[in-house]
Amino acid sequence: MKVPMGIRRLRWKLSRRCTILFVLFWTVCWVLVATLFLQVHRSVFSERCTDEKSRRILAGLCHDYQGGTLMGDLCEDLCVAGKLVYQRCLYYERGKKVLQATWHGQPVVLKSKKEAFSNFQPLDLLDEEVEGSKDFPEAELLLMVAIEVKNALGLELSNSTMGPLWSGRRGPHWKVQVASMWSLLQQEEYIYFSLLQDFSRHVLQVLGSCGHFYAVEYLAAGHPRHRTLFPLEEAIGIPLVSDQGQAKAINNIALSFLDMVNHFDNDFSHRLHLCDIKPENFAIRSDFTVVAIDVDMAFFEPKMRDILEQNCTGDEDCNFFDCFSKCDLRINKCGAQRVNNNLQVICDKIFRHWFPSNFRNSAITLQLQEQLEKAVHECADPGTQDMPHHQRVSPNSFSELYRLLQATQRELQKSED
């Protein structure tokens, strides 16, 4: 039956009107959602790294120093003498502030987990004592330091090993000194760097502090978009004009990564797990030593076990960034033992990028390049193919990679001679 023209026009108009109303409704909904998102997450956008805010943060730090609220061996140079000079903002991340400065003309990095000194939890013990009191309970203070270290690292330290964290020297402004120290002890990364700097060349050196900010050495950090991951020429201070020089530098960095893995696995009382492995979290010195510059996600074995041992319904629930465990479905609990390791993740996220692409135009034989590529692949993805990736462990990868990298080093050296 043929529908009259008037009815068809009416239907078309109604359909068009409904479409317009639907589009308007959809647009209004998205505007409301976007507005709500901006309201809820406005703090994210306020964390944009700017020179203006960075200078304001340091001005607040100096204001607190001059008001006698905080102290440190770098405060005078930063706030009075002008020997520690702000240069640029490096990044803000989840409250953490990382700034570049020069100290006596040399580049350094200033770090703090939070923006202001008042953002840190004060030490209640200080309110109970009088300035300069001879009866200040130092034993109790050391106990609280040990508890803070255990909370941060999962380790129990004796008083004799806490020298880098607590000197015990009584100055004229005892309470201010302790309050400043306490703000630093609430920063896990500061504890790591301070305790390990005398035992490891693979962590940043702490140069000093002012209140809650501490200074570390400035090094050439990695970046995923860099062709060689690390700025080689910036590290050594001279241009690398040949493919041979670039290949030799990369090979030296790879060997240093292996040294770091072996060091973190075997040279401390507990294995040190790196759960966030990416180029940005490492840097290189002028001799191509690899240095961990961000250890917010590094954990010694006791704390690693506590983190991994969680409830689960599958193996994917047991993945903590780059540290994986396995779900026991009988009890729905993740195993406390990590089933991958630092070397696997480094092979996957660092070495895969290098081998063999950066060695193709060098003096290294094709056979050795192929062996190295195969070893890196097996290191990053070991085991049989029917096993889940994070359940595979290759105990022979380290020695095989070390052997091949040393052979590569000899071939590159021979070509230069």
Side-chain angles (χ1 to χ4, degrees), residues 23-175:
V23 170
L24 287 173
F25 175 78
W26 184 257
T27 303
V28 169
C29 286
W30 271 109
V31 170
L32 289 173
V33 169
T35 303
L36 181 62
F37 178 85
L38 289 172
Q39 288 290 328
V40 173
H41 296 279
R42 61 185 181 277
S43 59
V44 174
F45 293 94
S46 67
E47 282 293 290
R48 191 165 60 91
C49 192
T50 66
D51 286 336
E52 180 185 1
K53 184 169 183 178
S54 299
R55 293 182 188 280
R56 191 165 66 245
I57 290 170
L58 292 181
L61 179 70
C62 288
H63 180 269
D64 287 343
Y65 167 65
Q66 290 160 349
T69 304
L70 55 82
M71 63 186 299
D73 52 0
L74 295 181
C75 289
E76 193 71 13
D77 283 353
L78 175 66
C79 303
V80 180
K83 297 177 182 177
L84 179 58
V85 182
Y86 169 81
Q87 295 295 312
R88 64 190 179 105
C89 178
L90 294 178
Y91 66 88
Y92 300 160
E93 184 179 352
R94 298 188 300 273
K96 184 178 182 180
K97 304 295 183 289
V98 183
L99 318 174
Q100 185 177 334
T102 56
W103 187 35
H104 297 282
Q106 296 299 314
V108 297
V109 175
L110 296 173
K111 288 189 168 193
S112 177
K113 188 177 181 178
K114 297 179 181 180
E115 178 175 323
F117 188 70
S118 59
N119 294 147
F120 290 90
Q121 185 70 30
L123 183 60
D124 294 335
L125 185 65
L126 293 177
D127 296 331
E128 302 170 6
E129 300 301 321
V130 180
E131 177 84 23
S133 170
K134 294 181 180 180
D135 297 322
F136 191 91
E138 190 163 330
E140 188 175 345
L141 175 61
L142 285 171
L143 176 61
M144 296 189 71
V145 171
I147 292 172
E148 198 70 17
V149 171
K150 185 175 181 180
N151 289 337
L153 308 187
L155 301 179
E156 293 188 10
L157 301 181
S158 63
N159 290 352
S160 61
T161 60
M162 287 193 292
L165 298 176
W166 176 243
S167 65
R169 293 193 301 269
R170 291 176 180 269
H173 306 289
W174 178 255
K175 290 181 69 174

Side-chain angles (χ1 to χ4, degrees), residues 237-308:
I238 58 173
L240 291 171
V241 295
S242 68
D243 293 329
Q244 301 288 100
Q246 178 178 290
K248 188 175 180 181
I250 290 173
N251 196 77
N252 287 335
I253 297 171
L255 281 168
S256 186
F257 263 112
L258 293 186
D259 286 336
M260 183 188 72
V261 166
N262 185 59
H263 174 55
F264 286 173
D265 280 355
N266 302 302
D267 293 348
F268 303 131
S269 57
H270 297 281
R271 177 172 295 183
L272 181 60
H273 297 273
L274 305 176
C275 293
D276 188 15
I277 292 176
K278 54 188 178 183
E280 306 97 299
N281 288 346
F282 299 94
I284 51 175
R285 293 197 174 100
S286 57
D287 62 353
F288 299 119
T289 297
V290 172
V291 179
I293 61 173
D294 189 326
V295 292
D296 284 337
M297 298 293 288
F299 307 99
F300 283 107
E301 183 72 27
K303 190 161 186 177
M304 184 81 266
R305 296 176 72 88
D306 289 340
I307 291 171
L308 291 176

Side-chain angles (χ1 to χ4, degrees), residues 156-253:
E156 293 188 10
L157 301 181
S158 63
N159 290 352
S160 61
T161 60
M162 287 193 292
L165 298 176
W166 176 243
S167 65
R169 293 193 301 269
R170 291 176 180 269
H173 306 289
W174 178 255
K175 290 181 69 174
V176 177
Q177 179 186 355
V178 174
S180 300
M181 174 210 71
W182 194 246
S183 70
L184 294 170
L185 287 176
Q186 293 175 60
Q187 304 182 58
E188 294 89 344
E189 194 172 65
Y190 172 80
I191 296 177
Y192 270 109
F193 291 150
S194 298
L195 288 177
L196 298 183
Q197 64 180 349
D198 292 334
F199 303 100
S200 176
R201 63 196 184 106
H202 293 289
V203 298
L204 283 173
Q205 295 291 301
V206 177
L207 305 175
S209 64
C210 178
H212 56 298
F213 270 89
Y214 58 97
V216 294
E217 57 183 326
Y218 174 84
L219 297 174
H223 198 284
R225 289 197 293 271
H226 199 287
R227 189 167 64 90
T228 55
L229 293 186
F230 294 91
L232 306 177
E233 296 180 351
E234 180 185 344
I236 61 176
I238 58 173
L240 291 171
V241 295
S242 68
D243 293 329
Q244 301 288 100
Q246 178 178 290
K248 188 175 180 181
I250 290 173
N251 196 77
N252 287 335
I253 297 171

